[in-house]
Amino acid sequence: MQKKQIIQTALDVLDRDGLEGVTLRRLAKELDVKAASIYWHIPSKESLLDEMANVILEKQFSTLDFENDQRGWAEWLNTLAHELRAAMLAHREGARVVAGAHPDVAVMLVKLWDLTVRVLHNAGFSYGRAVTVTVTIINFTFGSVIEEQASPPYVTAPEGSQLVDDAFPALVAAMKAWQDEGSDAIFATGVRIIINGVRAEQKA
């Protein structure tokens, strides 16, 4: 049995049972081996989640040219956000797995940070500002997808909750309109707002 097989089985369990179902004992049962065989390759659930996060990102970014840091910064931020979102949406609770990963194992995440900083720095941003922009766009993506995967869609308050609608009519109308946009459009708008904000800061 190889570590790769363990991680893929863990991803299968994640998609089927959710993050709470991913345990080393569960994997041992799935693979029909003793728990000690799992611990030989992966010492803890924390380590397992880090390995899973790296595989999730590798599936999406394995063909990316990490040496090409001469990209347009705005186009790259847009690509990064959407591709990172796609990677996490490919698995149930994928955002929770990736967002909580430690960089010493989830090296693909570090490579994305590094490339983004280099692209921004080449475009004239200081290293400090480049890091701030990188963290902002990545954290926005993490948070958006965590909410997208965890929260039920907005629905009209059930009968008997008319007080909510009456007390907050603007919010109720806004949430209904927001839901109608769809998650893809909502995310794209958020990314665009961040990029336009960075562009305005750059010109200031």
Side-chain angles (χ1 to χ4, degrees):
M1 180 178 57
Q2 299 179 342
K3 180 190 288 188
K4 184 177 181 181
Q5 182 183 8
I6 297 172
I7 297 169
Q8 184 56 55
T9 301
L11 290 171
D12 293 340
V13 173
L14 175 70
D15 290 337
R16 188 185 69 216
D17 302 326
L19 189 55
E20 295 305 315
V22 180
T23 67
L24 297 182
R25 290 185 179 278
R26 173 70 66 83
L27 293 183
K29 183 177 181 180
E30 292 281 333
L31 292 166
D32 195 24
V33 297
K34 293 183 178 180
S37 300
I38 303 294
Y39 287 111
W40 175 262
H41 294 282
I42 300 175
S44 66
K45 181 174 179 177
E46 184 177 78
S47 298
L48 174 64
L49 293 177
D50 289 343
E51 297 282 3
M52 291 167 64
N54 201 55
V55 169
I56 287 172
L57 294 175
E58 282 182 339
K59 289 179 180 179
Q60 193 72 28
F61 294 102
S62 61
T63 60
L64 179 65
D65 181 6
F66 285 94
E67 299 303 316
N68 178 16
D69 58 10
Q70 301 300 315
R71 311 162 188 267
W73 69 266
E75 181 180 359
W76 168 242
L77 289 183
N78 186 66
T79 298
L80 170 65
H82 284 86
E83 291 296 320
L84 181 57
R85 175 175 179 258
M88 294 187 292
L89 286 177
H91 293 277
R92 180 178 175 181
E93 297 186 80
R96 288 182 61 194
V97 175
V98 175
H102 296 87
D104 55 332
V105 176
V107 293
M108 184 62 74
L109 189 57
V110 179
K111 292 173 70 175
L112 290 170
W113 288 341
D114 177 70
L115 175 58
T116 306
V117 166
R118 285 186 284 121
V119 167
L120 288 162
H121 186 64
N122 289 340
F125 293 83
S126 68
Y127 277 125
R129 185 56 57 86
V131 169
T132 298
V133 173
T134 299
V135 170
T136 299
I137 197 73
I138 289 178
N139 283 352
F140 169 76
T141 305
F142 283 164
S144 295
V145 182
I146 287 173
E147 286 296 317
E148 187 175 349
Q149 292 185 318
S151 301
Y154 175 80
V155 294
T156 303
E159 186 177 353
S161 302
Q162 188 62 41
L163 287 175
V164 174
D165 288 354
D166 291 343
F168 306 102
L171 177 60
V172 170
M175 291 298 291
K176 289 178 179 177
W178 188 59
Q179 183 187 28
D180 289 341
E181 287 187 40
S183 57
D184 292 346
I186 290 169
F187 180 77
T189 298
V191 171
R192 189 166 59 251
I193 288 171
I194 292 174
I195 292 173
N196 287 339
V198 172
R199 186 177 285 116
E201 282 270 321
Q202 188 184 33
K203 294 178 179 178

